[in-house]
Amino acid sequence: MSLSMRDPVIPGTSMAYHPFLPHRAPDFAMSAVLGHQPPFFPALTLPPNGAAALSLPGALAKPIMDQLVGAAETGLPFSSLGPQAHLRPLKTMEPEEEVEDDPKVHLEAKELWDQFHKRGTEMVITKSGRRMFPPFKVRCSGLDKKAKYILLMDIIAADDCRYKFHNSRWMVAGKADPEMPKRMYIHPDSPATGEQWMSKVVTFHKLKLTNNISDKHGFTLAFPSDHATWQGNYSFGTQTILNSMHKYQPRFHIVRANDILKLPYSTFRTYLFPETEFIAVTAYQNDKITQLKIDNNPFAKGFRDTGNGRREKRKQLTLQSMRVFDDRHKKENGTSDESSSEQAAFNCFAQSSSPAVSTVGTSNLKDLCPSEGESDAEADSKEEHGPEACDAAKISTTTSEEPCRDKGSPAVKAHLFAAEPGGRPRDAGRLDKASPDSRHSPATISSSTRGLGAEERRSPGREGAATSKAEEARALPGKEAFAPLTVQTDAAAAHLGQGPLPGLGFAPGLAGQQFFNGHPLFLHPGQFAMGGAFSSMAAGMGPLLATVSGASTGVSGLDSTAMASAAAQGLSGASAATLPFHLQPHVLASQGLAMSPFGSLFPYPYTYMAAAAAASSAAASSSVHRHPFLNLNTMRPRLRYSPYSIPMPVPDSSSLLATALPSMAAAAGPLDGKAAALAASPASVAVDSGSELNSRASTLSSSSVSLSPKLCPEKEAATSELQNIQRLVSGLEAKPDRSRSGSP
DNA sequence: TCTCTCACTTC
DNA sequence: TGAAGTGAGAG
């Protein structure tokens, strides 16, 4: 399908825009492609000094501005420009010929992410910028070896809430603060061939998170246009600006294009990994997360119990305090049951944390165990000890904390697509999420502007999974179950001429524009940013910016960071090592370009949640904006999703997988088989609308809720007790240091 | 809550 | 050797 097949932008409603250019560029480019003067061009014009106005880094500004805005530099209003403008030849603006590819993305360091998700999902942001931890790393497969791809990442608000850490858990504390300008980070090695990308793990460790709205790592620009759609700032930079105490969801995008200029005309495949969702904080709130990072981040090695640094000294001090406390406690209270029990717990805590007592190099596991009580033991054991200690450490199958709190993938996913009419905090909805471990599944979001009928599908499996807590629980101890939910946006069909699409988060103005619908990059004008590519321009952006067939940059740098987490990952998972990728099908073709039909998506047995990522736009309502994938069912189905859901670890079902994906099944380990089994045949179920979705969501929610009661009491009791102990300890120390107390 | 400095680490 | 990434801790 060629670009010419797309419907023209509806005059006065929405305007296509190029992320790096004034909004007119794309339209103009399109006009060039179409070979005619766009009739809808208003009188908007670019400032003569377009390039300067954009304040783009030289390396970027040059090629882009020269080629796309070159005409503007002459002072000519776009409206007067025609195909004869100084734009690149039509040919170069056309999308590359269709290439057979079927990108799949596997989140690396998944074990670590899972632990991260279980423990509270805190991600530190600082004024100067902090790297993400766990590091966002993915492995791609299914790419066309010869074709070039641009890989991007951005972080979007997960909901409209502000959070607070209260009583050892995250709670909604109100409405979200105004959203920070969003940025899109382009992997510095982009563009690179599929072969190059697939040869290594793609890491985004250079992306930093900051709360400094005025950080200089970005390039902000203001558009001169009066048009509401174009107001706002675009920023590009190595750092993504986030609001502290707000929840975010990283997204990964694959775009097959050898030229950044083709981004607007290329298919965006967006992948979401629920377990990577996090709450930005300026200081750690949850000790468990701190511990996780200390134990897995090389740079924090100095704080490990096994180290010789300050941590060790501090621990010793703590030990002393503990002894004092212990003695005093005995003298004062004698040995009542209560004290005994408390003491027992305390001792457990202390002992485990004591290097002398704990197994070599595995002290942390126990530290956390008592401190939090909860089922974190499993998590802790895994992460701290790696696989070897993990199994043994799996004490609790109930993610006590999880059920009670607002986390959980399956439910999350359900919620992602559940309507939230009252603007109900997504988080609230999440209260009923099931534990994340049962389904950390990557969500794939593919936006498409093709004229397919809007449909929503859900795999039967999801329902079963949602309702089957037992199974979920069962799955927890062992491996992760995957609850796939695939959603495909079909912007074009969904609403052409229908006006605003709240469900998708399309700005009213964009509703009628299919060209860019479903394109995350374009649907989030205010959120677009370029990241590290600029900082490391020479290496990464050079090629990217060199429009045409620039020499493909190698991906040598992709794997540069081998975090300690890798160790943990490797340890804990036999799964990680043996598992083939957790592939994510995505499907979408942006702008009418024919891409794999949805049907082709379902065959993938993996857990995916495809959502309408693209949806949001600067003009979109805040909630929608923040949640492109939410409220999908608030209106007519605009999404086609297929939740593969769930945890139906039935051996037999694996056969299905094998059938569907012989090669994959063969390669996959037991876990995969399970995951596959979980994924019901997507094609088989075509949910027609939000109503069903809602009902399903409801089911999920209710089921989750019902489960909570069972899991919480027990856990809470333990937690409470532990917390009491912790408080006592805290009382003795200037600062509570749960994980480090120890006793002789 | 946030910011800054510090000691420590990796690379 | 030094730049840069860490969490702790103080303010």
Side-chain angles (χ1 to χ4, degrees), chain A residues 270-599:
Chain A
T270 300
Y271 302 80
L272 288 185
F273 297 90
E275 58 269 56
T276 61
E277 181 183 74
F278 65 86
I279 291 177
V281 298
T282 54
Y284 285 117
Q285 309 290 313
N286 187 342
D287 287 350
K288 290 191 290 185
I289 288 294
T290 306
Q291 192 61 47
L292 178 67
K293 296 186 68 172
I294 287 174
D295 295 334
N296 293 282
N297 192 324
F299 291 106
K301 188 176 181 180
F303 299 102
R304 294 179 188 173
D305 286 341
T306 56
N308 299 316
R310 195 168 33 178
R311 190 179 181 75
E312 181 67 14
K313 295 171 186 172
R314 196 160 58 81
K315 187 175 69 178
Q316 290 179 1
L317 288 176
T318 299
L319 247 166
Q320 267 190 321
S321 298
M322 295 293 280
R323 287 174 187 156
V324 173
F325 168 79
D326 191 6
D327 293 340
R328 188 193 308 168
H329 191 68
K330 286 180 179 177
K331 294 177 181 176
E332 296 178 354
N333 303 317
T335 55
S336 67
D337 288 318
E338 183 180 349
S339 64
S340 294
S341 113
E342 209 175 86
Q343 192 64 49
F346 186 74
N347 288 335
C348 172
F349 178 51
Q351 289 177 1
S352 55
S353 66
S354 171
V357 178
S358 63
T359 308
V360 177
T362 62
S363 62
N364 291 329
L365 172 59
K366 291 154 194 169
D367 286 2
L368 298 173
C369 164
S371 72
E372 297 296 336
E374 321 174 359
S375 54
D376 279 84
E378 175 186 340
D380 294 343
S381 66
K382 275 186 180 178
E383 75 180 31
E384 251 103 52
H385 302 275
E388 70 272 29
C390 210
D391 293 322
K394 290 170 188 168
I395 309 164
S396 160
T397 58
T398 73
T399 50
S400 51
E401 190 168 322
E402 294 312 329
C404 297
R405 81 164 145 215
D406 58 347
K407 307 222 175 271
S409 306
V412 173
K413 289 167 189 164
H415 284 291
L416 288 177
F417 302 94
E420 293 181 308
R424 176 191 180 205
R426 174 184 170 193
D427 224 60
R430 289 182 175 192
L431 291 174
D432 50 24
K433 292 178 185 176
S435 74
D437 27 356
S438 66
R439 55 225 140 294
H440 298 174
S441 63
T444 301
I445 299 175
S446 297
S447 59
S448 171
T449 56
R450 279 178 299 146
L452 297 176
E455 266 183 277
E456 295 183 8
R457 299 180 188 181
R458 283 190 134 237
S459 73
R462 183 171 188 67
E463 211 168 70
T467 59
S468 176
K469 183 63 180 180
E471 293 189 62
E472 229 179 87
R474 240 177 287 151
L476 289 177
K479 307 296 180 180
E480 300 169 357
F482 298 86
L485 176 58
T486 303
V487 178
Q488 174 181 19
T489 60
D490 200 346
H495 47 58
L496 263 182
Q498 287 182 16
L501 297 177
L504 291 179
F506 286 106
L510 293 175
Q513 181 212 124
Q514 77 179 64
F515 191 70
F516 294 96
N517 278 351
H519 202 303
L521 194 58
F522 305 104
L523 290 175
H524 294 261
Q527 133 176 8
F528 188 87
M530 204 154 197
F534 291 140
S535 63
S536 48
M537 193 72 68
M541 291 305 281
L544 178 62
L545 297 175
T547 57
V548 188
S549 59
S552 61
T553 309
V555 282
S556 59
L558 295 179
D559 237 330
S560 58
T561 24
M563 306 293 279
S565 60
Q569 183 180 3
L571 290 177
S572 64
S575 63
T578 60
L579 285 180
F581 306 150
H582 291 140
L583 310 180
Q584 304 180 359
H586 66 278
V587 185
L588 155 74
S590 57
Q591 62 196 329
L593 294 180
M595 291 308 289
S596 65
F598 221 35

